[in-house]
Amino acid sequence: MCFRSVLVQLSSDNSCLQRLAWADSLAHHDNNRVHGVYFQSELATMPENTADLILAPEGVAYVPDAAKNSKSLVKEDLQNLRSLLKEKAGKDEEFHWFTVPGNLQEQLSIVSLTHDLVILSRSWFDGFDQVKLKSLLPDFKQPLSAPVMVMPEHVPENAFFNAPILVWDNSVEASRTLKSALPLLKRSGQAGILCDFQGSEEYDIVALEEVASYLESHDVRITSVHSAPDDKSLPAAIESVVQQDNYDLVISGVKQGSVLHNMVYGKQLEQLLNNLTVPLFACN
């Protein structure tokens, strides 16, 4: 069981080839396909003679010189990317990739319509500046047409995806993510579970047994069960368990928090990505 169609976010950073290598591994099948996409900043479409002051939704905005040079910066970045792809033997001619103008949040749902999985970089150059974590899928406002895997800057090249941990909270998002991640779970044949329950203890035990039974029907055994402590946020609990038990993949549904919750605690996805050193498989 595998993802037969994988879309990889391209950038001219050192981890790009590594993302492509893992995409090939995850899509290992005779009829597989791995495509690439390069997201251009909206600034890259600005005319070079743009005025210093422009009208923006929030009023008058100042356009720095770096933004005006974004088009040339993107062109240089794409040249670096082409050189990088040539290093991947046999891929420089047959590998299909394309560029998309506009930010990732707006375009991701569209470009992923015909793919089983999208592999994203945690940070990348968009022609203007390094994209910060707060700009990376901050809310999951729109349903995605495919699950995403966000890769950290440095990923081991060999042993990987052997010790996943599944975050379970009896939600629709958790269920959808679990089913979407079955190719990864069947690949490892095992998984740990981090419970984040909100309900009666009796119901929690029944729910956990049902999850274990479901995974066993897919030949995946549960190796350990953890509970998210009340004195920690869920992202902090995930990070702690990953470090403690050496998990190499986090599988978690992502919910959109309320405006007030996000103002006080921050967005869950941003918190998860802030210090996580292993890949995150997410679905909404």
Side-chain angles (χ1 to χ4, degrees):
M1 191 174 186
C2 65
F3 300 98
R4 298 195 180 187
S5 181
V6 180
L7 182 66
V8 184
Q9 181 186 5
L10 301 179
S11 55
S12 61
D13 61 277
N14 295 329
S15 62
C16 182
L17 294 181
Q18 203 170 18
R19 290 197 299 274
L20 288 171
W22 280 115
D24 285 334
S25 176
L26 292 173
H28 182 66
H29 190 272
D30 292 341
N31 296 322
N32 75 325
R33 63 173 191 164
V34 176
H35 292 169
V37 58
Y38 180 94
F39 292 99
Q40 294 186 39
S41 166
E42 292 179 346
L43 296 171
T45 62
M46 272 190 175
E48 295 183 359
N49 58 349
T50 299
D52 290 340
L53 297 177
I54 60 173
L55 290 177
E58 59 274 12
V60 178
Y62 170 69
V63 182
D65 291 338
K68 297 180 184 180
N69 296 330
S70 180
K71 186 174 295 185
S72 60
L73 291 173
V74 166
K75 182 178 179 180
E76 180 181 350
D77 198 46
L78 284 171
Q79 289 175 344
N80 294 335
L81 177 60
R82 291 186 181 96
S83 300
L84 196 66
L85 291 176
K86 287 183 179 180
E87 297 179 14
K88 190 171 178 61
K91 284 293 183 181
D92 52 333
E93 294 183 358
E94 63 186 62
F95 180 58
H96 172 72
W97 64 285
F98 55 96
T99 62
V100 175
N103 61 48
L104 185 147
Q105 295 96 316
E106 295 176 353
Q107 300 296 332
L108 185 59
S109 294
I110 299 174
V111 299
S112 61
L113 284 172
T114 55
H115 294 279
D116 300 324
L117 175 68
V118 181
I119 297 180
L120 300 175
S121 172
R122 195 169 73 165
S123 63
W124 70 94
F125 181 75
D126 70 348
F128 174 50
D129 198 358
Q130 283 293 123
V131 175
K132 294 178 171 45
L133 290 178
K134 65 180 182 180
S135 302
L136 181 59
L137 305 178
D139 287 319
F140 272 61
K141 292 180 179 179
Q142 299 298 328
L144 295 179
S145 48
V148 300
M149 183 182 294
V150 185
M151 307 292 278
E153 288 83 354
H154 303 288
V155 179
E157 295 183 2
N158 299 318
F160 201 38
F161 302 143
N162 293 324
I165 183 165
L166 171 69
V167 181
W168 185 262
D169 60 359
N170 294 334
S171 67
V172 173
E173 291 85 358
S175 173
R176 186 179 295 119
T177 303
L178 167 61
K179 295 170 185 176
S180 298
L182 278 176
L184 288 169
L185 293 169
K186 289 177 69 68
R187 177 191 180 103
S188 67
Q190 62 182 9
I193 291 184
L194 174 61
C195 302
D196 182 36
F197 288 133
Q198 294 179 358
S200 67
E201 183 178 348
E202 180 181 357
Y203 174 72
D204 294 347
I205 295 175
V206 172
L208 185 57
E209 290 177 347
E210 184 63 23
V211 173
S213 175
Y214 173 78
L215 288 173
E216 286 174 2
S217 71
H218 288 279
D219 301 319
V220 180
R221 64 184 179 90
I222 300 302
T223 57
S224 59
V225 177
H226 309 266
S227 296
D230 296 333
D231 59 344
K232 280 187 177 182
S233 66
L234 179 58
I238 293 173
E239 181 186 352
S240 176
V241 170
V242 166
Q243 292 179 351
Q244 177 182 335
D245 287 9
N246 296 317
Y247 290 107
D248 59 15
L249 172 67
V250 173
I251 299 173
S252 175
V254 177
K255 296 179 181 179
Q256 180 183 354
S258 66
V259 174
L260 179 60
H261 183 278
N262 290 340
M263 287 175 62
V264 177
Y265 299 104
K267 299 180 178 69
Q268 178 178 305
L269 183 62
E270 184 178 338
Q271 294 179 61
L272 275 173
L273 292 174
N274 194 33
N275 297 310
L276 202 59
T277 57
V278 299
L280 170 68
F281 182 98
C283 193
N284 69 340

